[in-house]
């Protein structure tokens, strides 16, 4: 089973977060590091510090050598997908081909209202995400792109240089929505991320994902199943939780560490899982 880690870049200083990622890069168990795409701290005091995810990721690419890197997940409403495609190509090149491209529909009403960013109704958000996946795929793999969608339109568009990974960095779709999220994952995801919950729910949603794959004729074996799991339960209970998720169908665990970040915790949890 693949094991990775995630740090929310909120309520922390830069130094501890940097040191955490650098330490993880030295521990073979951890295959990738993840951050989030929010401008305010979430599920906590929104007035606290919060670093921007994609610029943080580009820095972490420079101070690490081995681990893969990603944003779990990028809010599609935050940026035009053509802009995001260029960002993704740049980070993939800068990291030597280590980017994993997490995508989601976007959801934080507070951030969107504060910054004047349009947050459409849920249905339209998923329509936009569907188009965005195609736009990003076309730009990262093609030379000149025309796209005439309901929400995004490209004319003779280019994205150069191309990413190092071929045909493009893997796409990770995160979320639990049975009708829209999992259908988008069936079409576009190289990995689907279950953002946490009971192992029985994971098993149930995997079945839904596979049914969507059957509808479009895609082999579900092509889609990895990851789970974000909280480490605040402690190393022993966390290892038990990982075992439950593995039995339920997960092949990738993303251990979420909250602030304050202590690099030594990475080794403690790695020992609990080995």
């Amino acid at each position: 089973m693949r094991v990775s880690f995630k740090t929310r870049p909120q309520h922390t200083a830069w130094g501890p977060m940097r040191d955490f990622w650098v330490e993880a890069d030295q521990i073979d168990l951890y295959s990738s590091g993840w951050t989030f795409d929010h401008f305010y701290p979430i599920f906590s005091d929104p007035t606290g510090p919060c670093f921007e995810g994609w610029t943080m990721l580009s820095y972490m690419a420079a101070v690490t050598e081995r681990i893969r890197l990603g944003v779990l997940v990028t809010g599609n409403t935050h940026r035009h997908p053509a802009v995001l495609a260029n960002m993704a190509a740049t980070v993939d090149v800068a990291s030597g081909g280590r980017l994993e491209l997490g995508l989601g529909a976007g959801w934080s009403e507070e951030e969107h209202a504060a910054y004047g960013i349009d947050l459409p109704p849920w249905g339209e958000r998923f329509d936009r995400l569907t188009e965005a996946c195609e736009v990003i795929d076309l730009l990262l793999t093609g030379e000149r792109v025309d796209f005439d969608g309901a929400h995004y339109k490209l004319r003779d568009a280019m994205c150069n240089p191309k990413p190092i990974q071929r045909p493009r960095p893997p796409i990770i779709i995160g979320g639990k929505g049975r009708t829209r999220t999992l259908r988008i994952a069936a079409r576009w995801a190289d990995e689907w991320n279950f953002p946490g919950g009971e192992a029985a729910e994971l098993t149930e949603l995997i079945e839904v994902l596979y049914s969507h794959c059957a509808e479009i004729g895609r082999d579900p074996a092509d889609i990895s199943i990851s789970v974000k799991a909280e480490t605040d339960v402690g190393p022993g209970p966390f290892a038990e939780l990982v075992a439950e998720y593995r039995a339920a169908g997960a092949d990738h665990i993303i251990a979420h560490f909250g602030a304050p970040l202590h690099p030594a915790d990475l080794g403690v949890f790695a020992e609990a899982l080995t």
Side-chain angles (χ1 to χ4, degrees), residues 3-4 23 27-30 231 234-240 242 255 257 263-274:
V3 178
S4 301
E23 176 67 15
I27 300 175
D28 289 343
L29 179 71
Y30 297 106
T231 60
F238 181 79
E240 294 174 1
V242 168
F257 293 88
D265 289 344
L266 287 158
V268 172
F269 278 84
E271 287 186 12
L273 293 177
T274 56

Side-chain angles (χ1 to χ4, degrees), residues 182-206:
L182 291 177
R183 181 173 285 116
I184 294 170
R187 172 64 182 87
W188 290 106
D190 299 289
E191 177 174 309
W192 166 62
N193 178 255
F194 177 71
E198 297 293 329
E201 183 185 16
L202 172 62
T203 299
E204 186 177 336
L205 292 181
I206 290 174

Side-chain angles (χ1 to χ4, degrees), residues 2-31:
R2 183 181 170 199
V3 178
S4 301
F5 71 94
K6 178 180 179 179
T7 59
R8 288 177 181 157
Q10 62 182 36
H11 302 304
T12 183
W14 186 258
M17 188 168 57
R18 175 201 59 219
D19 294 346
F20 198 89
W21 280 63
V22 170
E23 176 67 15
D25 196 43
Q26 306 304 310
I27 300 175
D28 289 343
L29 179 71
Y30 297 106
S31 66

Side-chain angles (χ1 to χ4, degrees), residues 225-240:
I225 307 296
S226 65
V227 176
K228 181 171 70 70
E230 301 295 329
T231 60
D232 57 5
V233 297
F238 181 79
E240 294 174 1

Side-chain angles (χ1 to χ4, degrees), residues 48-200:
C50 185
F51 294 103
E52 196 279 325
W54 272 91
T55 45
M56 170 197 160
L57 202 69
S58 64
Y59 177 91
M60 295 306 179
V63 297
T64 59
E65 297 180 354
R66 180 189 60 81
I67 57 171
R68 298 178 64 78
L69 317 99
V71 176
L72 194 67
V73 288
T74 308
N76 182 56
T77 50
H78 298 165
R79 304 163 192 83
H80 192 287
V83 173
L84 181 59
N86 280 270
M87 293 166 58
T90 296
V91 173
D92 195 59
V93 171
S95 66
R98 291 185 284 140
L99 177 69
E100 305 205 353
L101 182 52
L103 300 172
W107 60 268
S108 175
E109 295 182 7
E110 182 178 26
E111 293 171 317
H112 286 75
Y115 291 160
I117 301 171
D118 185 39
L119 184 65
W122 273 109
E124 182 180 331
R125 272 181 256 174
F126 285 105
D127 292 342
R128 287 177 174 271
L129 178 59
T130 300
E131 288 189 13
C133 288
E134 185 170 1
V135 164
I136 291 168
D137 180 75
L138 288 170
L139 285 169
L140 292 181
T141 61
E143 292 306 318
R144 292 181 179 271
V145 175
D146 292 308
F147 184 83
D148 187 19
H151 305 287
Y152 304 112
K153 299 182 185 298
L154 305 180
R155 186 176 66 182
D156 203 25
M158 295 179 291
C159 176
N160 288 315
K162 297 299 180 199
I164 290 177
Q165 297 179 83
R166 293 289 188 268
R168 54 158 171 74
I171 287 178
I172 294 83
I173 301 292
K176 296 183 179 183
R178 297 165 179 258
T179 304
R180 299 301 304 273
T181 300
L182 291 177
R183 181 173 285 116
I184 294 170
R187 172 64 182 87
W188 290 106
D190 299 289
E191 177 174 309
W192 166 62
N193 178 255
F194 177 71
E198 297 293 329

